[in-house]
Amino acid sequence: MKALLPRRFILFFLLFWTLWVFYRWLATQANKRQSCSLRMDSNISILLWHWPFGHQFELDGDVCWERYGIPRCHLHNQRSQFYYADVVVFHHNELKNGTQKLPLDLCRPPEQKWLWLSLESPASNGILYAYNGLFNWTMSYRRDADIFMPYGELVPKKTTKEYIIPKNKSFLACWVVSNYVTQHRRSKVYESLKKLIKVQVYGNWAKRPLTVKELLPTISRCYFYLAFENSEFKDYITEKLWRNSFQAGAVPVVLGPPRKNYELLVPPNSFIHVDDFESLDSLVDFLKQLASNETQYRSYFKWQEHYEVKVYADWRERLCKICTLYQKPLNKKVYHNLHAWANR
Ligand SMILES: *[C@@H]1O[C@H](CO)[C@@H](O)[C@H](O)[C@H]1NC(C)=O
Ligand SMILES: *[C@@H]1O[C@H](CO)[C@@H](O)[C@H](O)[C@H]1NC(C)=O
Ligand SMILES: *[C@@H]1O[C@H](CO)[C@@H](O)[C@H](O)[C@H]1NC(C)=O
Ligand SMILES: *[C@@H]1O[C@H](CO)[C@@H](O)[C@H](O)[C@H]1NC(C)=O
Ligand SMILES: *[C@@H]1O[C@H](CO)[C@@H](O)[C@H](O)[C@H]1NC(C)=O
């Protein structure tokens, strides 16, 4: 009896093994039928899977060439052209809120790149584990993204324009806020600051909304603009600095990542950092003193000798920039842990 058991075992094993080999063969056949490849032509095809924040824009014509001088870069939103797309772009907000899904049921050409796009901070992106191992490229305000897409930048000045420091200043400090959250550090700083100086507040929260046209002229009447980010993360420096301060001609008082991070993007003497001061009292003393000395105040605009501000606000410009990646040879790349990357 004892000797029979192993033989039965071996028979069982052989039967199981045969079935398994047969199953693998079937699976391979199925896979072969499923495999697909990219249908390439000389143009780079960028498929925007869904509109960022549901905001539609015109994609007719050769947008990247006509608007931004980027050749052979075809931007479109035709999902039926999936198998021709070199890059498929997925804006994170709609994946996160469940209104859009990744096309995981489609056969994905191995050469096709999926791009994860979010210009929001980790505080808004939420949990990303579900997207690990799916994306090849990222586009973000982060400098280490495949496509670094800042909210703005200083570019070498093309014109010989003089400094534009608005003369008619009537307020020491101004702030535009639409989304006021008591827990945000910026709200706490504002609450303390307003006990020391008058802060002129605009925006929906203050029930003093500004139109796009009113924004810059209004802020130009302030010596300082509170360029306070809603959350503090590496490289997260938004239009509050580029547009609301620099373009308006007000000196930014920033709250966000550390000073060193700002200094990677703008000259050290172009902004005032809240963390430079041991107390808000000393910050306020400094602001008052600066506003009263024109020579000193003007020194904060010295960057205008060599630079001008470029603000990135058009999704088309951002998306066309993807094609510039193709100027270098491309390596295979996968974000195996997108969550860790995005929260780094
Ligand atoms: C998801 O975001 C879109 C904007 O892209 C918005 O229109 C929609 O209402 C949001 N849906 C939910 C369920 O929050
Ligand atoms: C490439 O794009 C240009 C401009 O959009 C277009 O005229 C041309 O037909 C495209 N070439 C191919 C092979 O699709
Ligand atoms: C300066 O500001 C005041 C309001 O404080 C306004 O009445 C006046 O028109 C402004 N002057 C110029 C030249 O913009
Ligand atoms: C203003 O600042 C400059 C440079 O720091 C200094 O030389 C000058 O004396 C100051 N003027 C006044 C009136 O305090
Ligand atoms: C893109 O990512 C997918 C999914 O991880 C991977 O299978 C594919 O090899 C990657 N392709 C490139 C070109 O990096």
Side-chain angles (χ1 to χ4, degrees), residues 11 32 37 78 126 161 163 205 219-220 223 261 273 295 301:
L11 279 173
K32 264 190 198 153
S37 58
Q78 307 300 310
K161 261 188 305 193
Y163 286 22
W205 176 68
I219 300 174
S220 76
Y223 282 95
N261 201 159
H273 200 298
T295 320
F301 294 86

Side-chain angles (χ1 to χ4, degrees), residues 197-338:
I197 47 167
K198 174 156 174 51
V199 179
Q200 196 72 11
V201 186
Y202 302 93
N204 291 337
W205 176 68
K207 301 199 172 62
R208 298 174 75 183
L210 296 173
T211 64
V212 175
K213 258 180 126 177
E214 289 166 333
L215 183 72
L216 297 188
T218 305
I219 300 174
S220 76
R221 297 195 30 220
C222 316
Y223 282 95
F224 303 101
Y225 182 78
L226 305 185
F228 288 5
E229 301 299 347
N230 59 20
S231 49
E232 292 159 67
F233 290 99
K234 185 172 78 174
D235 298 336
Y236 189 59
I237 298 169
T238 68
E239 78 291 340
K240 296 166 184 69
L241 177 79
W242 308 107
R243 189 191 56 195
N244 298 17
S245 312
F246 282 172
Q247 282 192 330
V251 173
V253 177
V254 305
L255 181 155
R259 166 172 274 279
K260 280 275 165 273
N261 201 159
Y262 282 87
E263 289 181 359
L264 294 169
L265 300 166
V266 298
N269 62 337
S270 62
F271 65 96
I272 294 160
H273 200 298
V274 168
D275 297 341
D276 289 345
F277 301 86
E278 54 199 34
S279 70
L280 287 181
D281 289 283
S282 54
L283 169 63
V284 163
D285 288 345
F286 183 75
L287 298 184
K288 283 181 179 164
Q289 196 256 327
L290 204 54
S292 70
N293 185 322
E294 208 198 319
T295 320
Q296 274 182 24
Y297 184 72
R298 278 183 76 88
S299 72
Y300 278 80
F301 294 86
K302 216 171 151 50
W303 58 268
Q304 289 188 9
E305 278 177 19
H306 303 292
Y307 299 105
E308 55 194 30
V309 180
K310 169 149 180 57
V311 169
Y312 290 97
D314 196 312
W315 285 105
R316 287 170 293 201
E317 182 166 20
R318 293 168 177 149
L319 295 166
C320 291
K321 204 176 165 195
I322 296 167
C323 284
T324 61
L325 277 188
Y326 283 84
Q327 289 160 2
K328 285 178 270 172
L330 300 173
N331 290 325
K332 238 178 153 54
K333 185 166 184 183
V334 180
Y335 279 83
H336 291 292
N337 195 341
L338 183 68

Side-chain angles (χ1 to χ4, degrees), residues 70-233:
I70 297 171
R72 288 181 299 284
C73 185
H74 182 223
L75 191 59
H76 65 95
N77 70 332
Q78 307 300 310
R79 288 188 178 183
S80 61
Q81 303 290 301
F82 178 79
Y83 292 107
Y84 293 90
D86 296 278
V87 184
V88 188
V89 178
F90 301 94
H91 185 250
H92 179 65
N93 177 67
E94 293 69 38
L95 298 177
K96 186 185 88 167
N97 84 6
T99 50
Q100 297 289 340
K101 283 190 175 58
L102 294 175
L104 295 173
D105 52 330
L106 295 181
C107 172
R108 177 174 170 181
E111 311 87 352
Q112 186 176 71
K113 268 74 69 180
W114 284 17
L115 182 140
W116 182 80
L117 164 57
S118 174
L119 303 181
E120 306 302 305
S121 85
S124 314
N125 286 335
I127 310 289
L128 301 171
Y129 292 118
Y131 307 111
N132 287 350
L134 291 173
F135 289 98
N136 307 99
W137 287 345
T138 53
M139 187 194 294
S140 150
Y141 61 82
R142 280 261 301 273
R143 281 176 310 112
D144 57 352
D146 298 286
I147 299 165
F148 169 45
M149 189 36 71
Y151 283 81
E153 63 181 340
L154 294 187
V155 295
K157 195 161 151 177
K158 286 181 226 80
T159 58
T160 49
K161 261 188 305 193
E162 268 298 294
Y163 286 22
I164 36 132
I165 308 173
K167 287 267 183 294
N168 201 15
K169 303 268 185 198
S170 4
F171 307 112
L172 188 64
C174 299
W175 191 30
V176 179
V177 60
S178 42
N179 174 31
Y180 186 97
V181 179
T182 319
Q183 290 80 19
H184 285 169
R185 176 166 171 234
R186 66 174 185 187
S187 310
K188 296 184 176 132
V189 171
Y190 161 72
E191 289 299 332
S192 310
L193 211 50
K194 76 170 192 194
K195 292 183 185 129
L196 304 170
I197 47 167
K198 174 156 174 51
V199 179
Q200 196 72 11
V201 186
Y202 302 93
N204 291 337
W205 176 68
K207 301 199 172 62
R208 298 174 75 183
L210 296 173
T211 64
V212 175
K213 258 180 126 177
E214 289 166 333
L215 183 72
L216 297 188
T218 305
I219 300 174
S220 76
R221 297 195 30 220
C222 316
Y223 282 95
F224 303 101
Y225 182 78
L226 305 185
F228 288 5
E229 301 299 347
N230 59 20
S231 49
E232 292 159 67
F233 290 99

